[in-house]
């Protein structure tokens, strides 16, 4: 179980990439020319699969229930997010003819009588009476037109501008879902305002105010009024608010300046979600958008509010892009629905073959001129390159820990239960419902999600079906301590008379996870650690009170501390976005009373795996009733009462 800790690898020498430049970019070897080459390569896939009029390319991959016309529109709208900064940053030196190509696609798609016309979006309501995704692409196109207005909008004839404006205006007037979608009509309206078009009947100002009301703190917003906290902050909420205030001339108003401060705070905390090897924290939905996670970083650079230096900014961004391309994303064909390899289990039903091109908004930095400091300064360390970092986001209920070559997120704040994904009676999702996520592991999907072993505390009935965490009823974060309360659900219903309070304490590569379980003693309990995956079978075993899994790079273990009886491991195939084969360590226990306390040490690291003795001696823990006190090997001490740490009304499941 011993293996060296890898560092940032040199960029893969793909035929279309320039040689690495380790003078300007000592960490990644990537410069602006690498970004340009990657953008050109990915955009080349679009042109390879072009339709006759360019508005409806048919890429390899799945088609949603809305049909190929919708997917073709999405492909153009999203790839334009990549083309626009590529065009703008070249200052007219458009050797590939991208501007002309996308103008032709835009005109063919917005022609109401044309053979490749795009479906007009309808107001979002239930039951749906048509396609709504046109609203999203109207926003993407408006954003792109704003970024490259001189080359994508200005050359259009008056009649052509009217045609495009009419299509945008239709979508700017529609009512949409109560989450980040509020910004999509606002984007279309904002661009129309910026070019002097009619915006009567539009509600962008109202929509923006709604989104601003969902602000939490530390730069983060909920994705709607529920506890949905994810990367939609990075690739939708912050970039579109940034563009809205700019397009409407409000960037220097109190609201505009307030948003820039929030953008600064967001980048400061989000920058801790990227490991030193370029791996991105794997949490939330729509993860096939990949490099879109970089959009807010570039926006902060544009506006001069980036808390990172230019060299650190490029180092972080290039590390992410180099990591994805180095693992094959977009190399031999268009970016697919997955993370590294294609993986349907982590994709959503609303995603089609063009969806991954939302990654293009993460190329926004190319709109800056080549002489900008973000491209010219020598790379400097990003925040996770140095010593271990611990950052608490109390309003989000998150604790970020960078240690052992990866980043770990302890989650006591996000559940996404207001917005079901994928259907089914239980409105939770593996990418929100787990107690912990990381940059080098992914939650189990498919049959692994049905079993619900990893990252979870499950109550098990006689049929062996695991309970769901679902909506959080209360949360609290206080320094290294964070906790939440949930009512376990089974088969879509709350388990009568049950409630689980969980408190996490983080220390380096460890997390002590403590549960107070209230409910009928007939329910046994099971605690799962991180799922570790690889292309080959993952090594897994039980040593004493610990169950552990190891793929030769990432090591995860759970060690029984109090209230657990049986360590175990579970193997899966095709159920993890990180690799074909995965394994999960877990603990199990029978309960004999209606109130029980269970404490486990969760260990996650890269490099040399800890020896068994290091797991059992990591912390000295004393449990007295519902009170827990511990002393880490470092000497740090904590004490808390599981009954009172998370304030709530005490109502158990009914």
């Amino acid at each position: 179980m011993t293996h060296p800790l890898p560092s940032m690898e040199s960029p893969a020498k793909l035929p279309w990439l320039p040689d690495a430049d380790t003078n300007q970019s000592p960490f990644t070897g990537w410069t602006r020319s690498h970004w340009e080459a990657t953008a050109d390569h990915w955009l080349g896939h679009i042109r390879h699969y072009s339709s006759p009029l360019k508005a409806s390319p048919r890429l390899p991959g799945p088609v949603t229930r809305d049909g190929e016309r919708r997917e073709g529109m999405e492909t153009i709208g999203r790839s334009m997010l990549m083309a626009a900064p590529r065009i703008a940053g070249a200052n007219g030196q458009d050797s590939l003819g991208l501007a002309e190509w996308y103008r032709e696609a835009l005109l063919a798609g917005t022609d109401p009588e044309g053979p490749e016309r795009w479906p007009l979006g309808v107001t979002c309501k239930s039951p749906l009476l048509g396609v709504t995704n046109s609203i999203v692409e109207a926003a993407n196109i408006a954003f792109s037109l704003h970024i490259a207005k001189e080359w994508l909008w200005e050359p259009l004839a008056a009649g052509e501008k009217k045609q495009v404006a009419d299509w945008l205006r239709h979508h700017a007037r529609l009512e949409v879902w109560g989450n980040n979608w509020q910004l999509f009509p606002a984007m279309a309206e904002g661009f129309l305002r910026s070019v002097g078009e009619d915006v009567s009947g539009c509600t962008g100002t109202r929509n923006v105010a709604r989104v601003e009301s969902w602000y939490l703190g530390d730069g983060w917003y909920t994705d709607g009024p529920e506890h949905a906290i994810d990367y939609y902050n990075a690739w939708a909420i912050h970039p579109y608010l940034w563009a809205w205030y700019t397009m409407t001339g409000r960037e220097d108003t109190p609201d505009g300046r307030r948003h820039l401060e929030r953008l600064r705070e967001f980048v400061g905390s989000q920058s801790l979600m990227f490991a030193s090897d370029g791996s991105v924290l794997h949490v939330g939905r729509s993860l096939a958008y990949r490099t879109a996670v970089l959009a807010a970083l570039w926006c902060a650079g544009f506006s001069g509010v980036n808390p990172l230096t230019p060299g650190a900014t490029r180092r972080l961004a290039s590390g992410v892009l180099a990591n994805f391309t180095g693992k094959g994303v977009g190399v031999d064909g268009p970016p697919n629905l997955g993370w590294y390899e294609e993986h349907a289990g982590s994709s959503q039903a609303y995603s089609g073959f063009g969806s991954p091109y939302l990654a293009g908004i993460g190329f926004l930095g190319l709109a800056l001129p080549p002489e900008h400091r973000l491209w010219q300064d020598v790379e400097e360390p990003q925040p996770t390159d140095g010593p271990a970092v611990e950052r608490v986001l109390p309003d989000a209920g998150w604790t970020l820990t960078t240690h052992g070559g990866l980043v770990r997120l302890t989650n006591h704040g996000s559940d996404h239960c207001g917005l079901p994904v994928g259907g089914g009676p239980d409105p939770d999702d593996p990418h929100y419902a787990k107690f912990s996520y990381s940059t080098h592991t992914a939650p189990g999907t498919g049959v692994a999600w049905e079993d619900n072993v990893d990252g979870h505390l499950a109550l098990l009935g006689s049929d062996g079906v695991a309970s769901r965490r679902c909506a959080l009823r209360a949360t609290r974060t206080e320094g290294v301590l964070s906790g939440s309360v949930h009512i376990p659900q089974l088969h879509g219903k709350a388990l009568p008379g049950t409630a689980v309070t969980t408190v996490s304490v983080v220390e380096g590569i460890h997390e002590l996870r403590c549960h107070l379980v209230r409910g009928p003693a007939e329910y046994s309990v099971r605690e799962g650690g991180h799922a570790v995956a690889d292309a080959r079978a993952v090594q897994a075993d039980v040593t004493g009170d610990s169950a552990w899994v190891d793929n030769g790079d990432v090591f995860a273990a759970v060690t029984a501390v109090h209230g657990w009886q049986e360590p175990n491991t579970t193997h899966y195939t095709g159920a993890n976005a990180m690799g074909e084969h995965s394994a999960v360590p877990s603990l199990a226990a029978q309960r004999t009373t209606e109130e029980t306390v269970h404490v486990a040490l969760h260990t996650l690291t890269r490099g040399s795996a800890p020896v068994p003795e290091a797991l059992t001696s990591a912390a000295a823990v004393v449990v007295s009733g519902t009170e827990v006190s511990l002393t880490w090997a470092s000497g740090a001490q904590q004490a808390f009462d599981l009954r009172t740490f998370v304030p709530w009304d005490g109502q158990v499941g009914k």
Side-chain angles (χ1 to χ4, degrees), residues 437-509:
Y437 297 91
S438 89
T439 49
H440 289 77
T441 62
T445 59
V447 65
W449 172 231
E450 293 175 12
D451 291 349
N452 209 6
V453 179
D454 66 278
H456 183 53
L457 184 286
L459 274 66
L460 305 170
S462 58
D463 59 1
V465 176
S467 66
R468 301 286 187 184
R469 190 180 184 193
C470 296
L472 302 181
R473 304 307 174 96
T475 69
R476 179 188 174 194
T477 301
E478 190 71 36
V480 296
L481 299 176
S482 59
S484 59
V485 177
H486 75 274
I487 305 298
Q489 292 190 28
L490 197 61
H491 305 301
K493 298 180 180 179
L495 282 175
T498 65
V500 175
T501 298
T502 302
V503 176
S504 296
V505 192
V506 295
E507 169 84 356
I509 65 173

Side-chain angles (χ1 to χ4, degrees), residues 138-212:
N140 293 331
I141 288 168
F143 188 94
S144 301
L145 291 173
H146 169 63
I147 295 299
K149 182 164 58 176
E150 182 179 345
W151 300 276
L152 292 176
W153 174 260
E154 296 300 346
L156 298 177
E160 294 171 335
K161 289 179 178 177
K162 181 181 184 304
Q163 175 184 306
V164 174
D166 287 345
W167 188 83
L168 290 173
R169 187 162 36 247
H170 168 85
H171 296 94
R173 290 170 172 165
L174 297 178
E175 292 294 335
V176 293
W177 309 119
N179 58 359
N180 67 88
W181 278 56
Q182 291 289 313
L183 294 176
F184 298 153
M187 276 297 92
E189 176 192 339
F191 178 74
L192 293 172
R193 282 185 186 276
S194 73
V195 294
E197 289 283 345
D198 173 29
V199 292
S200 59
C202 298
T203 58
T205 301
R206 180 205 67 184
N207 290 12
V208 166
R210 283 178 176 171
V211 174
E212 292 286 23

Side-chain angles (χ1 to χ4, degrees), residues 478-615:
E478 190 71 36
V480 296
L481 299 176
S482 59
S484 59
V485 177
H486 75 274
I487 305 298
Q489 292 190 28
L490 197 61
H491 305 301
K493 298 180 180 179
L495 282 175
T498 65
V500 175
T501 298
T502 302
V503 176
S504 296
V505 192
V506 295
E507 169 84 356
I509 65 173
H510 303 296
E511 174 199 340
L512 194 74
R513 197 174 300 165
C514 314
H515 308 279
L516 171 61
V517 179
R518 281 170 275 193
E522 65 192 73
Y523 293 109
S524 62
V525 287
R526 183 184 64 207
E527 167 94 273
H530 285 266
V532 172
D534 196 32
R536 298 170 295 181
V538 176
Q539 186 180 9
D541 206 346
V542 171
T543 304
D545 291 332
S546 299
W548 56 265
V549 296
D550 189 344
N551 67 1
D553 175 30
V554 180
F555 172 90
V558 287
T559 302
V561 175
H562 177 88
W564 293 111
Q565 301 159 351
E566 182 184 351
N568 201 0
T569 60
T570 308
H571 293 257
Y572 295 99
T573 301
N576 197 286
M578 294 287 180
E580 180 66 12
H581 301 276
S582 57
V584 186
S586 64
L587 303 169
Q590 298 296 320
R591 301 170 61 247
T592 58
T593 62
E594 293 188 350
E595 184 173 284
T596 54
V597 172
H598 307 270
V599 180
L601 182 75
H602 290 253
T603 303
L604 182 68
T605 189
R606 298 176 70 201
S608 299
V611 297
E613 293 77 13
L615 300 179

